């Protein structure tokens, strides 16, 4: 019993440390590069505007930023969404600050606010937002509605200059902020068009969280309940693109069945076969030669430094 308590305490301390590092990275990117989201998505809008005008897509600053962020996402997964996006950080902060109020009101305490099927259906809305914006860009009509964009209002607030920003943009931003108070990653899940683009990208296998289902406790599902976008860490699942690489599934699994990278130890299976012999003692052999949860602090800092360098070069 004492050993179990010690292990649980160590896991809890690690979880708190991982969360602290993630918050530190998020705040650093929020202060240093709050405009990466807008710059990258401006690349999408520019590309479709040029397509609609039947003009060549030149290597503008927006296109370079978009290409850099997309390439980073293919290699490292949606680390940008989980650790560096200013809108994502805003959502995390509002949701965390409103937590005492939600608990007092009993909202989402015993069960999620949104039923799983409804949540999954609403996650498809961001693809409609992406298609609508791209359609307006192709038609050459985006400039007539861009003034109502919540990103414009957000950028104005961050820059400390809201002159010329339409009241409608602030109203939409306010509605999104309200949603962020009650539903974790509200904007990211349901409305983010850049997130829709990211979710369609392939991710290299060593950057995808995955679980060893053969070792999962029956009916557990803690990895999904820990996930801010409510998905299982299964890269081959239809909703795998929703993963924002925050790593909470890996930190939350009590059996440590969720990881990014596992290299099995061939000696482990041999030792297991020997242990099955009558009277044989079980040898202490590591099951994996290499096992990365994906939330190890050095690994997170390496990814953050790589993304920081990209932003420094291209923003």
């Amino acid at each position: 019993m004492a050993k179990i308590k010690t292990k649980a305490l160590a896991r809890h301390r690690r979880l708190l440390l991982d969360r602290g590092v993630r918050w530190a990275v998020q705040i650093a990117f929020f202060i240093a590069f709050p405009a990466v989201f807008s710059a990258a998505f401006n690349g999408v809008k520019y590309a479709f505007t040029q397509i609609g005008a039947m003009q060549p897509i030149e290597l503008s600053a927006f296109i370079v930023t978009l290409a850099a962020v997309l390439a980073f996402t293919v290699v490292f997964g949606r680390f940008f969404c989980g650790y560096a996006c200013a809108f994502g950080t805003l959502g995390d902060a509002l949701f965390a600050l409103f937590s005492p109020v939600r608990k007092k009101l009993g909202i989402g305490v015993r069960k999620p606010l949104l039923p799983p099927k409804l949540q999954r259906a609403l996650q498809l809305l961001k693809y409609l937002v992406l298609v609508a914006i791209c359609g307006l860009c192709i038609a050459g009509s985006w400039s007539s509605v861009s003034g109502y964009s919540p990103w414009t209002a957000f950028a104005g607030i961050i820059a400390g200059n809201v002159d010329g920003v339409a009241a409608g943009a602030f109203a939409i931003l306010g509605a999104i902020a309200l949603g962020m108070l009650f539903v974790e990653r509200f904007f990211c899940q349901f409305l983010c068009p850049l997130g829709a683009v990211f979710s369609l990208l392939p991710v290299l296998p060593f950057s995808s969280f995955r679980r060893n289902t053969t070792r999962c406790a029956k009916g557990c599902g803690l990895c999904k309940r820990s996930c801010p976008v409510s998905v299982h860490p299964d890269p081959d699942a239809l909703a795998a693109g929703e993963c924002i690489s925050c790593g909470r599934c890996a930190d939350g699994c009590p059996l440590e069945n969720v990881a990014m990278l596992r290299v099995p130890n061939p000696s482990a299976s041999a030792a297991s076969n020997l242990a099955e012999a009558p009277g044989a003692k079980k040898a202490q052999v590591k099951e994996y030669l290499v096992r990365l949860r994906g939330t190890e602090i050095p690994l997170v800092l390496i990814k953050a430094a790589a993304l920081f360098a990209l932003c420094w070069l291209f923003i």
Side-chain angles (χ1 to χ4, degrees):
M1 182 63 74
K3 187 176 181 181
I4 294 175
K5 287 184 177 180
T6 302
K7 190 174 181 179
L9 182 60
R11 187 169 65 87
H12 181 67
R13 287 175 178 171
R14 186 188 71 203
L15 186 149
L16 292 177
L17 186 58
D18 288 348
R19 286 185 179 178
V21 170
R22 182 167 171 243
W23 272 114
V25 172
Q26 286 183 286
I27 292 170
F29 274 96
F30 189 92
I31 294 172
F33 301 110
V36 178
F37 169 88
S38 297
F41 193 62
N42 278 341
V44 176
K45 291 185 288 187
Y46 166 76
F48 280 92
T49 298
Q50 293 297 95
I51 291 172
M54 297 186 192
Q55 297 294 322
I57 299 174
E58 298 178 355
L59 201 62
S60 66
F62 291 145
I63 290 294
V64 171
T65 301
L66 175 63
V69 175
L70 292 181
F72 182 89
T73 300
V74 170
V75 177
F76 294 114
R78 290 178 62 178
F79 183 87
F80 171 79
C81 298
Y83 283 83
C85 178
F87 245 60
T89 300
L90 174 66
D92 284 344
L94 291 177
F95 189 79
L97 291 172
F98 204 64
S99 180
V101 179
R102 289 196 310 276
K103 288 181 179 178
K104 192 170 184 179
L105 296 175
I107 298 174
V109 174
R110 296 186 180 277
K111 60 181 181 179
L113 179 63
L114 299 175
K117 288 185 178 180
L118 176 60
Q119 184 171 359
R120 178 60 187 143
L122 291 175
Q123 287 174 347
L124 300 177
L125 285 175
K126 61 180 171 289
Y127 299 99
L128 295 180
V129 173
L130 175 63
V131 170
I133 292 175
C134 291
L136 288 170
C137 290
I138 290 174
S141 304
W142 172 248
S143 58
S144 63
V145 298
S146 61
Y148 297 96
S149 167
W151 309 305
T152 303
F154 179 72
I157 293 172
I158 294 297
N161 182 7
V162 296
D163 293 343
V165 181
F170 289 105
I172 296 172
L173 180 61
I176 291 172
L178 183 63
M180 289 174 170
L181 297 177
F182 292 96
V183 179
E184 194 165 13
R185 288 282 174 153
F186 175 83
F187 177 77
C188 308
Q189 289 195 73
F190 310 137
L191 299 173
C192 180
L194 189 58
V197 174
F198 287 150
S199 70
L200 299 174
L201 295 175
V203 176
L204 296 182
F206 59 77
S207 290
S208 297
F209 286 96
R210 62 188 70 236
R211 56 179 175 158
N212 184 354
T213 54
T214 60
R215 296 180 56 184
C216 289
K218 187 176 180 180
C220 174
L222 190 57
C223 55
K224 185 176 181 179
R225 294 200 301 274
S226 301
C227 177
V229 296
S230 192
V231 295
H232 281 301
D234 299 325
D236 56 344
L238 187 62
E242 299 294 334
C243 174
I244 60 171
S245 296
C246 65
R248 279 171 46 182
C249 54
D251 283 337
C253 179
L255 300 178
E256 299 186 343
N257 287 341
V258 181
M260 269 193 172
L261 178 66
R262 292 187 185 91
V263 178
N265 185 356
S267 301
S269 58
S272 178
N273 292 333
L274 288 173
E276 293 176 1
K281 292 183 178 180
K282 188 174 182 180
Q284 296 296 322
V285 180
K286 287 186 177 181
E287 186 176 359
Y288 300 106
L289 291 175
V290 178
R291 181 185 177 278
L292 290 178
R293 292 190 319 276
T295 56
E296 289 84 357
I297 293 174
L299 181 60
V300 168
L301 293 181
I302 288 172
K303 292 180 182 180
L307 183 56
F308 200 93
L310 282 177
C311 294
W312 185 270
L313 289 171
F314 299 121
I315 299 300

